Every structure is written in structure tokens, then in C-alpha cells.
Amino acid sequence: MQFGVLAEPADLAKHPPSAAQLRSVLVTLAVLASLFALLAPFARIQLPTAPEFVPMYQSVLIGSNLLTAILLLGHVQTSRSWSLGILTLGYLCTALIALAYMLTYPGLFSPQGVLGGNGQTAPWLFFIWHGLFPVFVGAYAGSYRRPLPAHFLRLGTLLVALFAALLVLLCVRGAPYLPELTEGHRYRPAYRWLGLGVLVLALGALWKTAGKRPRAALDVWLTIALAAWVFELLLSCILNGGRYDLGFYAGRLYGLAASLFVLGAVAIDNIALHARLRDTFEEMVETRARAQWQSLLGSVLRQLPDGVLIVDREGRCVMANDQAEEMAASFARQEADGQDGPATMLSLLGSPVRRAIAGEAFRGAQLESQTRDGRRVYAVSGAPLRDAATDLAAAVIVLDDITERTEASAALGRALDQTRYLIENTPLAVIEWDRDFVISLWNRRAEELFGWSAQEAIGRRIDALPVIHEEDAGKVAASIARLLDSATRYVKSENRNRTRDGRVLCCEWYNSVLHGEDGQIDRVFSLVLDVSEREQAMDGLKEADRRKDVYIATLAHELRNPLAPISNAASLLRGKGLPQERIDWIAAMVGRQTAQMARLLDDLMDVTRISRGKIELHRAPVELGRLLRDTLQTSMPLIESGRHGVTLDLCEQPVWVEADALRLTQVLANLINNAAKYTPPAGRIAIMLKESRGEARIEVSDNGIGIEPAMLARVFDPFVQVPSASHLAQGGLGIGLSLAKGLVELHGGSIEARSEGPGHGSRFVVRLPSIGAPPPPEAVEQLAGAGTRVRRHVLVADDNVDAAESLAWLLRSEGATVEVAHDGAAALRLFDARPAEIVVLDLGMPEMDGLELAAVLAQRSPRPYLVAVTGRGRQEDRAASLAAGFDEHLTKPVAPQQLIELLACL
């Protein structure tokens, strides 16, 4: 952008703009307006999210504003203008709040910004900053007749800093109370209304600045800056949809342009000022009047940061600026000849000064002094000064204090030495390669890790060394592509690597990109950490954790439900007057449950045996047809609840196997129950038993939801459930098929799952070696027992039929009227037909679980007393029960006396 030539550079805020400047202004405004017209219709187009754009943009903007304020400060000190003083404070205030905006931007340096607050802090600071700048510009455009007070800028700077800090504190600490302007990356309506308000301020300041009379060169560039400010507000607050769209990026570029326009104008003015000073200096040197040029030259030299000495042809110091006087004060006064500091410095320089007096320039000399503050080092250069007739008039000696530079260079050397030492001795492999993938650094650890020496690796392309495992080549290529993306500076990756001797390592790569001055990738710095042992340890921990979970889940799955009916039956049998058929039923139920419990306890108590799959089988001759009929009978409540049709196809002759009847019952019950659970209502289940060539073959098939082909190989893994059937699992732990597979294989058989896909049903085939018919088994022993205090109408719902029926008989023996349901939906229908006073619910039921049912019943009037009786005993489960509306939460097995006493007190 051409700004034109600024006439009278020292009078930027006073001198009227030239014709060239006005032409530049009009061209700039036309370009800004044209770009805005092109961008405005597309302001809502979403662009890639680039949070790094914010610190880049903000850093340039903050630096621009601060630099503008510093440059304006020189003009303020010269002109003592109220307008420039206010404008200087405006740029300072804008820079401070813009800095706070960057430090509170969410997700930039921390999730809520470095200064804290919440997601609304940064938007509010954005509007405060964009609203205050037009206010300061409007104040600049006012008329002021009095000169600027002496301490205006000091006091103003302090007040502006305090004011900015107060605004930032308000937006950070008061963030929870500020109206919300954004929702995620999208703007809320309040954001746009507030943007319109700030836009009105900017338009007012633009109008006032454009109409200011008399108009100075600075005014026209402030007019352009405010025009760009208006375009920014329109693009980034009004026309766009939120963060990281075209308006967001383009608007901020307009805001940056607004800052750079004025900075450019002021900078050009200052450049012209320096050029004028240079011309003035040359004119003074050329002036024959010695006194006049010494005075003028001295006033200029006193402003230079270096020490300057003017030496006449006799080598005497005729002028020293303030910096040279301060440097000379560090030299000890020579008492012998009474020379002062500058003379002492010149005498110490000796030969170089004499060369300058003789007409020869010199540079590179050094001078040292030892002071109370330590050692100081000065770089000395000199040149002759000639008049117009080329006669030697004097010589100038320039001293530059390079102490800090020298110390920094020494410190840099030490740091480089330390860095080289760390690189060579770090436990990480350090590899450096350039944009062409050529390795330039390969430290000792890289040699030890991969096997190639530094001489063999350096100079070769990194992709030419076979260090990447072939199966991870695609992942590494993707990481390198991300790394070479100009927007990415750091990429962490984990992949397998090969060593020179063929070993496979698991390594973490920490890659950082270093860019050159042209913005292109200069080199990539990679730190490589061998995590093979850690990954092996993690795999071991995961396997140990998995085995622990298998043990706990199996224990809970196998023990909790059988305990409930046994406990209920034991209490029920203590009573009197039970009919014989109930006693027989109780005895059979207790016999089944206790036999199962005794066997399960033997297997489940030893976690080592369970985790290793070493379950001991108690084999005996088992007739599979009868076992299938008995197992089917126990699964009938679940089948009937789903209204399924069952076909049982058995061999005409008994099929015998040498097996553990309890374990085979587990396998078959699991297959039948799964068929019932994962088949939609009114489905078909077929059970077939065949024998051929010494092998018994059992098939359990259904027309249910089926199994995806990808899941067929995994359905027998522990804790795996078909994703599409998760809503039908009814609280299962996903270990049934895994246990079934293990038990079948322990019997010397096999189990297989087949399905043609989702919606086509599934079929499970169990194969076992068959045997001949054994002698008939002995009869099973019977057990007996009975109680009365609960005279209420009770509804019991539990999908464990034995648990529900035994609890119902226990309550009936205490005088209660009991209805029983085996799923949540059936329980709700029974309650609607005849409301119960007390409802006892299991939590894990099909159709509708206990928590859902309790939430519904808790809203009924009159409200029943709700009791949860479940195998879930964690604190979280109790809290969930109470939140759903339960009055009590009891964990199975519940002591019958405890339950009876609880209900009897109601």
C-alpha cells in the first residue's frame, strides 16, 4: 500500500495532507470497500478451525499498537498536543485490552485462557477494545486550546493501565454474571446487538474524524483506519455466523490493517524525521563555522545511544556526549597527569586514535574497564572528519557498550556446549532432518536404539533407513504429512520400529518443526522414546485387570440370584401349615439351587483357577434328551413372556454323554435363554438333538435379530454383546457364551455360532462325544419348612422365577396378598389392574427395568411403598434407586426376617 510522501515530517498532526496523500487515501478506501463488497456475501462460510491464527494476529496487532503509541509519544513530547496525547493513550489502552483478549481466549493456551474466566470473557473484551478505540479517536478529533500538562502522559498511562486492568478483572471475575454472547463457536443474538452498538460508535468517530477542520495528514489516515475498523465490525460481528468462518478471519485482517495504516503513516514520518536529522548532521559537518556546527552536532550526538567523542587534530577531546561522559566515569582518574575520564579513554586507545587523526578510519578496537558494578567492555570505532576543502578538521570516536552482548555470546556458547552434551547423553534418541528428509543429527542414543552409527545415518534420507515397521508405514506417512503442513509445528506419534538386527520396538516420536526466516520448513527435530517395556507392562496390567473383572463378574453372575430364592425358602419352611404341594415345590427348588450353589462355590472361590480356565468337572452319565427337557422347563417363563413358539426335536433313542450335568445345564440354558431374549415377540425357537457316529449334536436356533458376520468370531469372547441387541440384553454381563464355550471344550466338544446376518436369526451348534446307556440314577432327596405378620397387598416383580415365587410364598405365609410378575411391563399391568400397597422390585428385569418402573409408580396416587431387592449393592446403585423413587434398597440375598419386619412395620 502506497501512503504517499509526508511533507514536513515533524508536523504529522498539524500539516495538511498533500495531493499525493489524498490520492493514496482515496485509492486505499476504494480497495478496502471493494474487498469488503467481495467478502461480505461469503462472511458466513465456515473455514478450517485455526486457533493459532489468534495469537499470530493478536501479537502483530498488539505490537503495532504499542509501536504506534511509542512513535506518537515522540510527537506528543514535541508538540504538547492534547489530541496526540489522547490518541497515544488510546493506542496504549487498545494494546493492553487486546493482550488480555489473547490471554483469555478459550482453548488457546489453556481450556479457559491463561487469565481464567469462561467462554464469555474473550467476546466481552473484544467489544470493550473495539468500543474504546473509537471513543479515543473521537476525543482526538475534538478541539483543545490549552497546551498539554507536563505530567499528562505519565498520569494518563497509569490511569489507562488501571482502567484496562479493571475492565479485564471485571470480565474475568465477573464472567459468570455477564450476559452470554457466544455458544460454542456460534454467536448469540446479544453478540450481534452489542456489535451494532460498537459499530455506531465507530461510525460516529469516523464521521467526526472525517469532518475535522483543519485536517492534518494524520487525520486522513485515521479516517482510513476507522473505515477498516467499521469493515472489521461488519465482517466479524454482524455478517458472519461465528468463530472461524470467512468473516472471522477477514474481519480481523481488516482490524490489523486499521492499525497498520496509522503505524505506517507515523513510521514513514519518523523515517523522514531521521532522514532530516541525517541531512542536518551532514550540513553541520560541512559548516565552516566551528562553534555553530559543534553546538548543533553536540545536540544531535547527545541523543545517540552510543558514546561519541570529537577529537581535534592534536588528539584533544573537544566534545563528548552524555553517554561518553557516563562511560568515562567508569575509568579511574590518572592522578599523575590529572587527565579526566575522556582523556584517559583516548590515551588507552592510543594507536587507533592517532590513525583517525591522521585521516584513517578504524573499527574493531576494544576497551575494558573494571568498575564497582563489574567489568565493562566497549567496541571502539573512529573516522576522520573533513571540511569542504577535504582538509582534516577533526576525528570522531564512537564507543559502543558491548558488555551484555559479549556476555550473551559467551552464555550462548556455553548453552550450545550444554545442549550438545545433553543431546549426546540424553536417554532419548535425538534425530534432526531437513525438509528433504536428509538426516543431519543422530545422537549416541539413536545409535544404541536403532543400531546404525552416526556416520552411517547422517547424510542419508530418514525414509531410506528401514526403521519403520512395514505395518505402520501408512500411519507414519500420515504423521509426516501432518508435520510438513505449514500450520503444524508439533506432532506426537506412536508406532513400531525395526532395529538394524531385526528387533521390533514400540516407540513414541515427539516431532517439532523449525521454520526459517522465509517461513518454510528448515528442519525437523525428533525425540524418540523406547516404550516397549512400558507397553508390555501395560498389556500385562490390562490382562490382569481383565482376569480380575472376569472373576468378579462371574462370581456376581453365578451367586447372587440363586442366593435369593434359597434364603426365602429357608425362612418359609420355618412356618407351619403349608400344603404338601408347596413343600414339595420348595424342596425341589432348594435342592436345585443348593446343588448349583455347592458346585459353583467350589469353582468360583479360587480366582486363580477361574482366571486360567481350570474348572474341575464332576462327570457322570447324562441323558441329553431329559437334560434338554428339564432345561427348557426352567427357561419357559422367559419364553412365555416373549410369546415364542418352541419346537423340541429329540432322538427316538436316549443319547448319553459323560458330562457334568450342572455345567451342561448352564450351557444349554444360556443358549435357550439367549434365543428367547434376542428374538422379537411371537418368534420361533427350535431345539434339536441328534446322534451320529459317536457324536451328540445339539442345535438351538431362532428367527431372531441374527448376528453380523463380523461378530460371529467374537460372540464367544468375554463381555461381548452384539451392538444391535444391546437393548435386549436384559442386564446380562456378556459372559454366558464365553463360559459356554469353555465348558463345552472342557467336555471335549465344540460350540459354533452361525447366522446369515441381521434379521435372519441365529443357530448355535454344540457337539459332544456320546457314550452308551448307564445304569438308572438314584432319586433326589426332598427338603421342607414355613411363618405370619404382613397383612397387605404386595406386588413382587423379579425375572428370577424361583426368587419371585419363593418370596411370594414367604409373604403369603405372613398373611399378605401377593401378585407376581417376571418383567417390568407385566408388573405395571398388574398394578394398573389392582394397585398394591407394597411393591417389591428387582432392578434388572426385561421389558422395563426396576428403576423405570419405580419412577412410574412413584407418581401414582395413592403412592405404593417401593422396595428394591437386587443383586446390585454398590453405593452408586443405592443412590440411583433412591433417585428413582424407591423407599428401601436391599441387596440379595435378603434375610427373610429383615424383609418381613420391614413390611410389618408399615
Side-chain angles (χ1 to χ4, degrees):
M1 188 70 66
Q2 298 295 324
F3 291 96
V5 179
L6 295 175
E8 297 296 327
D11 297 323
L12 177 67
K14 295 181 179 179
H15 199 281
S18 65
Q21 288 175 323
L22 291 177
R23 285 194 300 271
S24 298
V25 168
L26 293 177
V27 170
T28 304
L29 283 174
V31 171
L32 289 176
S34 300
L35 290 176
F36 173 80
L38 292 173
L39 294 173
F42 310 100
R44 292 178 178 267
I45 294 178
Q46 194 68 28
L47 297 179
T49 299
E52 61 273 11
F53 171 79
V54 176
M56 294 169 60
Y57 155 77
Q58 289 295 125
S59 299
V60 176
L61 182 64
I62 293 166
S64 172
N65 286 338
L66 287 176
L67 189 55
T68 303
I70 292 171
L71 294 176
L72 286 174
L73 184 62
H75 292 279
V76 174
Q77 297 293 348
T78 304
S79 64
R80 311 301 299 172
S81 167
W82 272 89
S83 296
L84 286 179
I86 292 173
L87 187 61
T88 301
L89 295 179
Y91 272 97
L92 176 61
C93 183
T94 303
L96 292 176
I97 299 180
L99 176 61
Y101 169 81
M102 181 174 67
L103 295 179
T104 57
Y105 198 89
L108 194 57
F109 302 109
S110 66
Q112 295 299 332
V114 175
L115 299 181
N118 58 21
Q120 307 306 318
T121 299
W124 274 100
L125 286 174
F126 177 84
F127 282 120
I128 289 172
W129 141 37
H130 280 73
L132 285 177
F133 180 74
V135 172
F136 278 99
V137 175
Y140 158 83
S143 299
Y144 304 96
R145 300 186 182 277
R146 294 183 301 162
L148 192 71
H151 301 290
F152 175 82
L153 284 177
R154 295 179 184 176
L155 183 59
T157 300
L158 177 61
L159 292 177
V160 163
L162 292 175
F163 180 61
L166 180 62
L167 290 176
V168 173
L169 182 63
L170 176 65
C171 292
V172 172
R173 296 300 182 189
Y177 310 102
L178 294 175
E180 292 186 357
L181 300 179
T182 61
E183 184 176 1
H185 290 329
R186 310 303 302 169
Y187 296 156
R188 298 176 68 89
Y191 190 98
R192 304 192 185 283
W193 286 111
L194 193 56
L196 287 173
V198 175
L199 179 63
V200 170
L201 283 176
L203 289 172
L206 176 61
W207 178 263
K208 192 169 182 179
T209 305
K212 183 185 176 186
R213 295 294 184 275
R215 181 183 296 133
L218 180 60
D219 299 333
V220 297
W221 294 108
L222 277 175
T223 302
I224 292 183
L226 285 173
W229 201 260
V230 169
F231 291 145
E232 178 196 8
L233 291 170
L234 287 171
L235 284 171
S236 63
C237 298
I238 310 301
L239 299 177
N240 69 332
R243 292 175 179 156
Y244 306 116
D245 54 14
L246 181 62
F248 175 87
Y249 292 105
R252 278 156 175 77
L253 293 178
Y254 266 94
L256 184 59
S259 176
L260 293 177
F261 287 147
V262 177
L263 174 60
V266 178
I268 291 175
D269 175 71
N270 279 268
I271 293 171
L273 174 62
H274 284 80
R276 189 175 182 85
L277 289 174
R278 182 196 61 198
D279 294 339
T280 302
F281 177 77
E282 292 176 354
E283 290 175 2
M284 288 188 299
V285 173
E286 295 172 356
T287 303
R288 292 182 177 273
R290 192 180 188 89
Q292 183 180 1
W293 72 256
Q294 283 184 344
S295 175
L296 294 175
L297 182 61
S299 64
V300 174
L301 294 178
R302 287 188 182 90
Q303 307 301 320
L304 297 178
D306 297 333
V308 179
L309 300 172
I310 304 297
V311 183
D312 62 15
R313 284 179 290 187
E314 284 73 33
R316 294 172 301 194
C317 179
V318 296
M319 196 277 293
N321 69 350
D322 296 340
Q323 288 76 9
E325 294 285 355
E326 292 177 3
M327 294 174 183
S330 65
F331 290 86
R333 186 180 181 86
Q334 293 187 1
E335 299 293 340
D337 54 8
Q339 290 182 317
D340 59 7
T344 303
M345 286 193 297
L346 292 173
S347 65
L348 292 175
L349 287 172
S351 176
V353 174
R354 288 192 291 273
R355 288 164 52 196
I357 296 173
E360 181 182 352
F362 75 91
R363 60 188 310 169
Q366 283 195 355
L367 185 61
E368 296 185 12
S369 69
Q370 190 69 33
T371 69
R372 291 177 299 176
D373 298 330
R375 173 176 168 271
R376 307 299 299 178
V377 181
Y378 304 95
V380 185
S381 58
L385 297 176
R386 301 180 184 276
D387 57 18
T390 69
D391 295 331
L392 181 66
V396 59
I397 308 298
V398 180
L399 296 96
D400 183 13
D401 189 343
I402 60 171
T403 305
E404 286 75 15
R405 198 183 314 161
T406 303
E407 293 176 351
S409 178
L412 178 60
R414 291 192 298 270
L416 290 175
D417 291 339
Q418 293 173 355
T419 301
R420 283 190 287 268
Y421 177 82
L422 291 174
I423 287 176
E424 287 303 318
N425 295 278
T426 181
L428 300 175
V430 181
I431 304 172
E432 186 182 74
W433 41 286
D434 60 20
R435 71 183 73 181
D436 298 321
F437 298 90
V438 177
I439 299 172
S440 57
L441 176 63
W442 185 273
N443 75 335
R444 187 183 307 165
R445 177 56 181 158
E447 294 179 344
E448 297 171 355
L449 189 63
F450 297 113
W452 285 274
S453 66
Q455 291 77 8
E456 294 172 317
I458 293 176
R460 296 179 62 180
R461 289 176 57 94
I462 191 170
D463 52 0
L465 288 177
V467 297
I468 305 301
H469 194 282
E470 53 275 7
E471 295 181 5
D472 289 355
K475 181 167 66 172
V476 173
S479 298
I480 292 178
R482 286 178 52 208
L483 196 64
L484 298 181
D485 182 1
S486 60
T488 304
R489 293 183 178 272
Y490 172 78
V491 172
K492 176 187 175 183
S493 62
E494 182 174 337
N495 54 268
R496 288 170 293 176
N497 295 99
R498 287 196 181 277
T499 64
R500 189 171 189 174
D501 55 6
R503 291 179 296 112
V504 177
L505 304 176
C506 184
C507 297
E508 288 182 350
W509 288 66
Y510 302 87
N511 306 289
S512 301
V513 177
L514 303 178
H515 292 85
E517 294 181 356
D518 58 355
Q520 299 297 317
I521 294 176
D522 182 54
R523 68 193 66 188
V524 179
F525 200 69
S526 300
L527 301 178
V528 187
L529 176 63
D530 182 6
V531 295
S532 303
E533 294 183 1
R534 186 187 72 185
E535 291 301 313
Q536 293 172 0
M538 288 296 295
D539 291 342
L541 288 174
K542 290 177 183 178
E543 178 63 19
D545 186 62
R546 186 191 68 80
R547 293 183 182 276
K548 179 263 295 180
D549 289 342
V550 169
Y551 169 70
I552 294 175
T554 305
L555 186 65
H557 185 268
E558 300 289 356
L559 292 182
R560 275 182 174 161
N561 282 336
L563 286 174
I566 291 174
S567 178
N568 295 337
S571 179
L572 188 61
L573 290 174
R574 295 192 185 96
K576 299 179 180 180
L578 287 177
Q580 185 60 41
E581 64 272 13
R582 279 295 105 189
I583 295 175
D584 293 342
W585 180 86
I586 292 171
M589 181 270 292
V590 172
R592 288 193 305 271
Q593 301 294 342
T594 53
Q596 182 180 357
M597 287 288 296
R599 294 292 309 282
L600 291 176
L601 286 173
D602 289 341
D603 291 334
L604 294 175
M605 289 303 292
D606 190 348
V607 64
T608 303
R609 287 167 40 202
I610 293 295
S611 63
R612 296 180 180 178
K614 295 182 179 180
I615 299 177
E616 183 181 354
L617 298 179
H618 300 278
R619 297 176 181 267
V622 177
E623 202 274 292
L624 286 180
R626 180 175 179 180
L627 188 67
L628 274 172
R629 285 191 292 269
D630 291 344
T631 306
L632 179 60
Q633 187 62 33
T634 61
S635 300
M636 282 307 294
L638 183 60
I639 295 173
E640 291 172 354
S641 68
R643 307 190 304 280
H644 302 310
V646 181
T647 302
L648 183 62
D649 182 8
L650 303 179
C651 294
E652 295 181 359
Q653 299 297 325
V655 178
W656 293 87
V657 294
E658 185 77 17
D660 186 323
L662 178 61
R663 293 305 183 182
L664 280 189
T665 300
Q666 282 183 268
V667 173
L668 298 176
N670 181 271
L671 297 180
I672 296 172
N673 290 342
N674 281 352
K677 287 192 294 183
Y678 297 114
T679 299
R684 299 189 306 277
I685 300 174
I687 304 172
M688 182 184 70
L689 172 63
K690 298 294 182 183
E691 182 186 23
S692 175
R693 298 179 181 179
E695 181 183 74
R697 186 167 180 266
I698 304 170
E699 290 189 10
V700 178
S701 59
D702 60 68
N703 64 340
I705 63 171
I707 305 173
E708 298 177 0
M711 290 296 298
L712 284 174
R714 297 185 55 214
V715 293
F716 295 106
D717 293 341
F719 314 112
V720 170
Q721 293 179 342
V722 178
S724 60
S726 59
H727 65 290
L728 301 174
Q730 304 177 13
L733 296 173
I735 63 172
L737 289 177
S738 176
L739 289 174
K741 182 175 184 294
L743 292 173
V744 170
E745 290 176 350
L746 285 175
H747 283 85
S750 63
I751 184 170
E752 178 186 3
R754 301 176 183 175
S755 177
E756 296 181 4
H760 295 282
S762 57
R763 179 172 54 170
F764 288 85
V765 180
V766 178
R767 294 181 175 87
L768 295 169
S770 59
I771 62 173
E778 297 182 359
V780 179
E781 215 176 296
Q782 304 279 331
L783 299 174
T788 181
R789 278 178 296 171
V790 182
R791 299 185 179 276
R792 299 294 185 92
H793 178 44
V794 182
L795 172 61
V796 176
D798 194 329
D799 59 345
N800 187 309
V801 178
D802 285 345
E805 293 295 340
S806 62
L807 179 58
W809 274 97
L810 175 64
L811 296 175
R812 289 187 186 111
S813 69
E814 296 293 333
T817 303
V818 184
E819 290 184 287
V820 179
H822 301 299
D823 61 72
L828 184 58
R829 291 193 294 271
L830 287 176
F831 186 90
D832 290 339
R834 184 183 178 190
E837 299 172 89
I838 301 170
V839 179
V840 180
L841 300 177
D842 180 29
L843 297 186
M845 294 187 295
E847 301 295 336
M848 177 186 290
D849 65 26
L851 294 175
E852 294 175 308
L853 181 56
V856 174
L857 297 181
Q859 305 299 321
R860 298 298 174 88
S861 181
R863 183 185 185 281
Y865 189 82
L866 299 173
V867 181
V869 177
T870 176
R872 304 175 186 175
R874 300 179 306 162
Q875 190 64 34
E876 296 91 330
D877 298 323
R878 295 179 182 275
S881 296
L882 296 178
F886 279 104
D887 298 292
E888 288 289 342
H889 181 104
L890 304 177
T891 304
K892 295 178 180 178
V894 180
Q897 193 63 26
Q898 176 190 2
L899 181 60
I900 292 170
E901 289 178 358
L902 171 64
L903 302 183
C905 295
L906 299 179

